[in-house]
Amino acid sequence: MSLQTPSQSPSVSFAPDAPGYVLDPYPALAELRTKAPLYYWPEGRAWLLSRYEDATAVLRDARRFSPNRDEWEFAAIAGSAALIPELAELNKGGLFALSGSDHARVRKLVSPALTPRAIERLRPELQAVVDDILNDLAGRDTLNVVKDISDRIPPRVIGSMLKIPKGRETLFQRFTEAAIKSFLPGLLRPEEVPSLREDVREGIALVRETIEDRRRNPLPDDILTTLIQTEEQGDRLNTSELLSLVAALIVGGFETTVHLIGFTVYNVLKRPELLTQVKAEPELLKGVIEEVLRFDNFGKLGIARYALEDVELGGVTIKKGQMVLVLLNSALRDESVFPKADVFDVRRNTNASIAFGHGMHFCLGASLARLEVQIAVETLLKRFPALRLVKEPSFGPHPVIRKMESLEVQLNQQ
């Protein structure tokens, strides 16, 4: 008997670039979960997995599904190696690209530097970065949360964590901006490429110098020193692996933190009762962040995996080499796991959340992102108690996320 494929259902379609999808993708995702939970999307040449059970099954199955693919399927981000070969070379050794024993080895060496306890020790540094950024905004009446606050936090935090030498912070800032832009070369203008490539070269040289200096002069409670000194049965990270990890921190940590700050501020400010609760009970903010990750996830196309062999899943056959897109934003609204999933509930039990992935590729930077967002939003609400929305957020083009470009807020009482 031949297997029925969801793509044979004429009543289902998937159009992430359709008007309105970025603002509210959830009706379309609910239709997928109900009518075609495993749906072949011809335009993206990928299987879409929209239910929680299937999502977790694929993410934890490292034997049959891999994050690696020599040629990324999305045309919008193809050709990065040709545009910025230095950065592409770095990414080959990063946790995003590694699998199997290589991934397990590097992850084991990296984990001690990124545990929740290790990240909590960074709280004073993170608080100082946020305070400094908000100090610059004290005289403003309105601001764009994305451009004025959240875009500025991750590069400053990573620079502070690595203790980039005084006087070279601007160079590191240019490197981080170039690395982030280069990750999506389909959105670049050709005239931008030469200067970006130069910033990447200079940034790699700066990070390499910093690593070598830290080898000679280790510092206490320093994340780079921890990464350099961590040893597992005589094995340590080499300089190339350390450089790749810094690049992964920059690229992986930027979009997550930037958008989680924006989406959290938006979801709090549009709920006056919640805003009052958070001001009175700041600890509630942790639950708010987890519920934002679940209820209003900024993902657009989810996590990519490639079948290493023919796999039968949910009544369809995924052929060896085919791409699977795990739609986290849909899985996190699955009623079978999250009762009343379409209700925003900050006291919900989110232990089953897969917002930061699942299995061996669970995001090691999750604790850092959570702490950055918590400090940023809590400090913003304390500093500007009359904070309110001016208008709904606007979104820009991006192949894989719901990219919030503007979130305009009023700082002071009018």
Side-chain angles (χ1 to χ4, degrees):
M1 185 179 82
S2 63
L3 294 170
Q4 174 99 11
T5 63
S7 56
Q8 292 170 343
S9 173
S11 62
V12 174
S13 64
F14 182 70
D17 293 325
Y21 180 87
V22 171
L23 291 173
D24 184 12
Y26 296 104
L29 297 175
E31 184 179 39
L32 281 177
R33 285 196 306 275
T34 301
K35 297 181 179 179
L38 283 94
Y39 172 74
Y40 188 77
W41 179 35
E43 292 80 4
R45 291 183 287 170
W47 288 93
L48 304 179
L49 273 63
S50 52
R51 286 183 181 171
Y52 184 93
E53 182 180 2
D54 296 325
T56 53
V58 168
L59 292 177
R60 67 170 171 257
D61 190 350
R63 183 180 65 83
R64 298 190 297 173
F65 292 95
S66 169
N68 293 339
R69 180 65 182 265
D70 291 336
E71 181 182 351
W72 186 251
E73 296 278 357
F74 290 103
I77 58 176
S80 60
L83 287 176
I84 316 284
E86 295 85 357
L87 195 60
E89 186 65 29
L90 278 188
N91 290 334
K92 284 182 181 178
L95 279 169
F96 294 148
L98 295 176
S99 61
S101 59
D102 290 332
H103 182 274
R105 169 189 165 271
V106 174
R107 189 180 183 93
K108 185 176 288 187
L109 289 166
V110 172
S111 294
L114 295 171
T115 63
R117 180 176 295 181
I119 294 301
E120 181 61 32
R121 289 199 292 268
L122 297 173
R123 182 181 287 272
E125 292 181 46
L126 272 58
Q127 185 67 62
V129 168
V130 171
D131 286 341
D132 191 45
I133 289 171
L134 293 186
N135 286 342
D136 292 342
L137 305 171
R140 300 270 296 272
D141 288 326
T142 63
L143 58 81
N144 176 353
V145 170
V146 179
K147 300 296 183 185
D148 294 323
I149 299 176
S150 54
D151 269 357
R152 298 171 62 190
I153 289 175
R156 292 275 300 274
V157 164
I158 295 169
S160 177
M161 287 169 58
L162 299 176
K163 294 183 172 57
I164 295 299
K166 294 291 183 184
R168 308 195 74 183
E169 298 95 340
T170 301
L171 171 56
F172 185 77
Q173 176 87 13
R174 293 205 311 269
F175 172 49
T176 61
E177 291 173 357
I180 293 155
K181 287 183 178 180
S182 303
F183 190 67
L184 294 169
L187 301 181
L188 290 178
R189 299 187 306 273
E191 61 270 20
E192 291 181 284
V193 174
S195 63
L196 288 178
R197 188 173 180 185
E198 183 62 24
D199 288 341
V200 167
R201 287 172 176 164
E202 292 183 356
I204 290 173
L206 170 60
V207 175
R208 188 184 296 275
E209 289 173 21
T210 305
I211 291 169
E212 296 310 315
D213 177 72
R214 208 60 47 81
R215 288 190 196 278
R216 297 188 298 268
N217 305 295
L219 298 173
D221 294 327
D222 170 62
I223 191 168
L224 194 50
T225 298
T226 301
L227 288 170
I228 290 169
Q229 294 182 342
T230 297
E231 187 172 335
E232 178 69 25
Q233 296 181 344
D235 186 23
R236 289 189 174 186
L237 296 165
N238 59 43
T239 299
S240 294
E241 289 167 335
L242 288 165
L243 284 167
S244 293
L245 286 168
V246 171
L249 272 175
I250 291 170
V251 175
F254 184 85
E255 296 286 14
T256 299
T257 305
V258 166
H259 287 85
L260 188 48
I261 291 172
F263 276 71
T264 300
V265 171
Y266 172 61
N267 274 278
V268 170
L269 293 186
K270 75 175 185 177
R271 295 177 171 87
E273 289 184 5
L274 177 59
L275 178 59
T276 300
Q277 286 180 294
V278 170
K279 287 179 180 179
E281 189 183 345
E283 276 297 305
L284 191 62
L285 193 54
K286 292 180 180 178
V288 172
I289 292 168
E290 296 307 314
E291 186 67 343
V292 169
L293 283 165
R294 187 202 68 81
F295 177 87
D296 199 11
N297 192 280
F298 54 83
K300 182 177 176 183
L301 291 182
I303 297 177
R305 291 291 184 267
Y306 298 92
L308 299 176
E309 59 185 62
D310 287 0
V311 180
E312 183 177 341
L313 186 68
V316 304
T317 297
I318 299 170
K319 297 291 187 181
K320 179 180 178 179
Q322 285 189 317
M323 180 165 63
V324 170
L325 287 174
V326 180
L327 301 178
L328 295 182
N329 52 358
S330 177
L332 291 165
R333 288 281 193 110
D334 191 329
E335 291 271 358
S336 69
V337 179
F338 304 99
K340 298 182 179 179
D342 293 333
V343 175
F344 189 90
D345 180 2
V346 299
R347 301 188 189 275
R348 180 189 298 275
N349 183 339
T350 55
N351 289 340
S353 176
I354 54 173
F356 284 102
H358 183 70
M360 69 179 294
H361 286 275
F362 175 82
C363 177
L364 278 172
S367 294
L368 176 60
R370 286 180 168 115
L371 186 57
E372 285 182 76
V373 176
Q374 182 187 345
I375 291 172
V377 178
E378 183 177 341
T379 308
L380 179 64
L381 295 178
K382 283 182 179 178
R383 186 74 66 90
F384 304 105
L387 193 72
R388 65 176 181 84
L389 283 176
V390 172
K391 57 184 176 182
E392 290 293 299
S394 64
F395 294 82
H398 197 287
V400 294
I401 65 172
R402 299 163 62 207
K403 184 175 177 59
M404 186 183 287
E405 282 196 334
S406 176
L407 180 64
E408 192 174 344
V409 296
Q410 182 82 41
L411 298 183
N412 304 303
Q413 195 74 42
Q414 293 290 302

